[in-house]
């Protein structure tokens, strides 16, 4: 869950305010801070599981079990999280590991699978307002092709944006939000050419807007 990060052997979670003295939260068993999800709640971890706790005395508000979850990432507004679930899929006659993408509320409840392992979602990133996810996916029909996808959390709507340019069908991957939250920048490779592309996905005339009916 921590991608190889070690957990400190001692210490405590500290809260510091501008102009004030640092205060101990009291979470001696947890040494990692993941998110501040509300005015009085932070999410801490012990290297195995995550715990939403009260900042005043570390009173527990539940547990988010880390087993089967990789790269848990909270939205900027603290309301939701996503994680990768790793599962095995058959490709070219052999079993390989691939990601599926799951979102949940910040307490780990109300889980919803966004897209299954057949698409091997990667490089998922929250929009600045926490309302959307941008990512790249693999075509289930063409293993060498990856393209950009966009998930609207409120509408629970997933859209694919494979591109068709006059020069051919490119590989699009690793999208990142522009700070205004309306555009993304991503890597594009077509043959030996590699570029960075700035796109407003919903208005891109080179994109073929595809809404999958089967996500698993």
């Amino acid at each position: 869950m921590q991608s190889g990060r070690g957990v400190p052997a001692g210490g405590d979670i500290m809260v510091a305010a501008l102009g004030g003295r640092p205060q101990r939260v009291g979470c001696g068993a947890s040494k990692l801070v993941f998110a501040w999800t509300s005015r009085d709640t932070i999410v801490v971890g012990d290297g195995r599981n995550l715990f939403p706790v009260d900042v005043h005395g570390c009173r527990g508000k539940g547990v988010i079990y880390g087993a089967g979850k990789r790269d848990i990432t909270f939205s900027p507004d603290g309301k939701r999280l996503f994680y990768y679930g790793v599962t095995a899929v058959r490709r070219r006659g052999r079993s390989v590991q691939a990601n599926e993408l799951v979102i949940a509320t910040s307490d780990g409840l109300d889980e919803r699978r966004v897209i299954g392992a057949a698409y091997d979602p990667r490089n998922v990133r929250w929009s600045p307002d926490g309302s959307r996810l941008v990512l790249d996916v693999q075509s289930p029909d063409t293993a060498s092709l990856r393209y950009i996808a966009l998930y609207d959390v409120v509408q629970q709507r997933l859209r694919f944006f494979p591109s068709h340019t006059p020069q051919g069908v490119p590989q699009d991957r690793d999208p990142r939000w522009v700070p205004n939250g309306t555009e993304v920048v991503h890597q594009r490779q077509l043959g030996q050419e590699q570029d960075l592309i700035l796109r407003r996905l919903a208005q891109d005339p080179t994109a073929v807007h595809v809404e999958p009916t089967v996500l698993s």
Side-chain angles (χ1 to χ4, degrees), residues 127-150:
S127 63
D129 64 357
S131 68
R132 290 162 295 161
L133 292 169
V134 69
L135 59 149
D136 62 68
V137 298
Q138 175 180 293
S139 168
D141 303 317
T142 308
S144 61
L145 177 62
R146 296 194 71 85
Y147 45 81
I148 306 304
L150 185 70

Side-chain angles (χ1 to χ4, degrees), residues 58-140:
C58 196
R59 290 182 294 274
K61 299 184 177 182
V63 58
I64 303 170
Y65 294 102
K69 300 178 178 66
R70 186 170 64 83
D71 294 341
I72 297 175
T73 304
F74 288 81
S75 60
D77 59 8
K79 295 180 179 180
R80 299 178 178 90
L81 61 84
F82 74 73
Y83 67 84
Y84 299 105
V86 181
T87 186
V89 297
R90 297 289 296 180
R91 291 201 179 119
R92 299 179 182 178
R94 61 191 183 94
S95 180
V96 298
Q97 284 194 333
N99 297 323
E100 62 178 12
L101 177 63
V102 180
I103 67 169
T105 50
S106 59
D107 53 8
L109 304 177
D110 193 25
E111 290 188 339
R112 177 179 296 273
R113 185 171 63 173
V114 173
I115 188 168
Y119 292 94
D120 191 22
R122 299 182 185 179
N123 301 308
V124 185
R125 293 182 174 92
W126 287 105
S127 63
D129 64 357
S131 68
R132 290 162 295 161
L133 292 169
V134 69
L135 59 149
D136 62 68
V137 298
Q138 175 180 293
S139 168

Side-chain angles (χ1 to χ4, degrees), residues 35-43 51-55 61 106:
W36 199 306
T37 58
S38 70
R39 182 175 180 179
D40 61 354
T41 302
I42 59 175
V43 180
F51 307 93
V53 300
D54 194 301
V55 296
K61 299 184 177 182
S106 59

Side-chain angles (χ1 to χ4, degrees), residues 126-180:
W126 287 105
S127 63
D129 64 357
S131 68
R132 290 162 295 161
L133 292 169
V134 69
L135 59 149
D136 62 68
V137 298
Q138 175 180 293
S139 168
D141 303 317
T142 308
S144 61
L145 177 62
R146 296 194 71 85
Y147 45 81
I148 306 304
L150 185 70
Y151 181 70
D152 189 302
V153 176
V154 177
Q155 298 180 5
Q156 299 179 5
R157 184 184 188 188
L158 177 70
R159 304 184 77 182
F160 292 157
F161 294 88
S163 295
H164 294 262
T165 71
Q167 294 77 30
V169 179
Q171 289 264 19
D172 293 338
R173 65 179 72 223
D174 198 17
R176 298 171 184 269
W177 290 97
V178 172
N180 62 22

